[in-house]
Amino acid sequence: MGRVITGLGLAMVWLLLLFVGPYLLFCLVITAGGGVALYEFLRLSSPENERKYIAPVIVLGVFPMLVASLWGIGALTSSLFLALLLLVILTVIAYPALDNGLLFIARNWFGIFYIGFCSAHLILLRSFPRGTYWLLVLTAITVFSDTGAYYVGRLFGKVKLYPVLSPGKTRAGAVGGVFGGLFGGLVLAAFAFENANLVAIGFLSAILSIIGIVGDLIESLIKRVSGVKDSGQILPGHGGLLDRCDSLLLTAPVLYYVLYWGQTILFR
């Protein structure tokens, strides 16, 4: 019941944020959420003696999201390079206290890029023409994919998908997730857009569903290496924020760049 209540609450907040909240509030919520998810990742991956550097790394990680909010895609690459430069400086300064300087910079750079940079694309999607509706389509793909994977996996799942990373996922569940995401994307796109090319959107929905599964597996890798079941406890019944947004971290950039470079193929 706690999981259901939390899920309904998240859905309501997300819809209000998309259709009622102003752009600035959306940017603030995504930036704050990205900071929390990055904290969860760093807390799991950092040795005890290096956790005092989590705060400055979080500042570097939210920088791409702030830049995307204020200046859009044109300044995102510059913000990423600046974050890398400051991380290099931090690594040099902290080096005497580090177990392994190379692992320190690699681990933290992955967190900044994977969470900070990828989360920034949710903001970029929001600022895109009809971006609110594209975010709703992406949400539908994610939710229906998760639902399809869960129920098909429970009913027909016998062969594990990738047990070394995620023993609970099955091949049947993955297929159910792809078809669920395809269905969700098509239904929302048909209602949200006139003259939608449903063949192209269906293909895109299936691709995004597959990428979402990869996102789930990456987060499973992080948790397995860290020896934990959930990334955090901020969401009752769901675990951490990183547990909830792992698929979106990879699918949001893919959807943004498809729209940026080839939006015309998605409409008749």
Side-chain angles (χ1 to χ4, degrees):
M1 182 58 67
R3 181 180 177 87
V4 172
I5 292 173
T6 301
L8 291 175
L10 287 173
M12 186 176 300
V13 170
W14 182 242
L15 290 175
L16 288 173
L17 195 61
L18 285 179
F19 291 102
V20 180
Y23 173 74
L24 179 59
L25 178 61
F26 180 87
C27 294
L28 288 174
V29 171
I30 294 300
T31 301
V36 172
L38 182 55
Y39 168 77
E40 292 174 346
F41 167 77
L42 294 173
R43 184 178 54 82
L44 291 178
S45 61
S46 300
E48 188 69 35
N49 65 312
E50 294 180 5
R51 292 187 176 179
K52 58 186 176 183
Y53 303 110
I54 286 179
V57 174
I58 291 176
V59 172
L60 299 181
V62 301
F63 189 58
M65 291 179 276
L66 292 173
V67 168
S69 304
L70 297 172
W71 295 291
I73 186 65
L76 189 58
T77 303
S78 302
S79 73
L80 202 60
F81 173 74
L82 183 57
L84 176 61
L85 177 61
L86 293 175
L87 179 62
V88 169
I89 293 172
L90 175 63
T91 305
V92 171
I93 293 172
Y95 182 75
L98 302 178
D99 292 336
N100 186 310
L102 183 59
L103 288 180
F104 176 84
I105 197 170
R107 176 176 60 248
N108 288 300
W109 177 243
F110 175 78
I112 291 169
F113 191 93
Y114 172 59
I115 299 174
F117 175 76
C118 291
S119 295
H121 290 79
L122 291 169
I123 295 171
L124 294 175
L125 280 170
R126 176 65 170 76
S127 61
F128 211 85
R130 295 182 286 190
T132 297
Y133 293 101
W134 280 115
L135 282 168
L136 189 62
V137 169
L138 182 61
T139 302
I141 292 171
T142 303
V143 171
F144 277 83
S145 179
D146 288 346
T147 303
Y150 177 76
Y151 285 107
V152 173
R154 285 193 63 179
L155 290 173
F156 305 107
K158 301 196 183 304
V159 181
K160 300 299 182 182
L161 176 64
Y162 201 23
V164 70
L165 280 185
S166 184
K169 289 183 174 59
T170 64
R171 294 181 184 178
V175 172
V178 172
F179 279 98
L182 187 152
F183 174 78
L186 283 176
V187 170
L188 262 293
F191 280 103
F193 305 116
E194 294 182 4
N195 303 320
N197 183 343
L198 295 182
V199 174
I201 290 177
F203 180 75
L204 176 61
S205 299
I207 294 298
L208 291 174
S209 299
I210 294 171
I211 293 172
I213 293 171
V214 175
D216 287 339
L217 290 174
I218 289 297
E219 212 243 343
S220 295
L221 182 152
I222 294 169
K223 292 188 292 186
R224 180 165 286 272
V225 171
S226 303
V228 298
K229 182 178 182 294
D230 297 313
S231 65
Q233 301 297 327
I234 193 172
L235 301 173
H238 290 259
L241 202 57
L242 188 57
D243 293 313
R244 286 297 84 208
C245 68
D246 51 5
S247 298
L248 291 174
L249 289 175
L250 295 184
T251 55
V254 172
L255 176 58
Y256 176 80
Y257 291 116
V258 168
L259 294 175
Y260 187 84
W261 293 109
Q263 183 176 192
T264 55
I265 66 174
L266 299 177
F267 296 93
R268 294 194 300 270

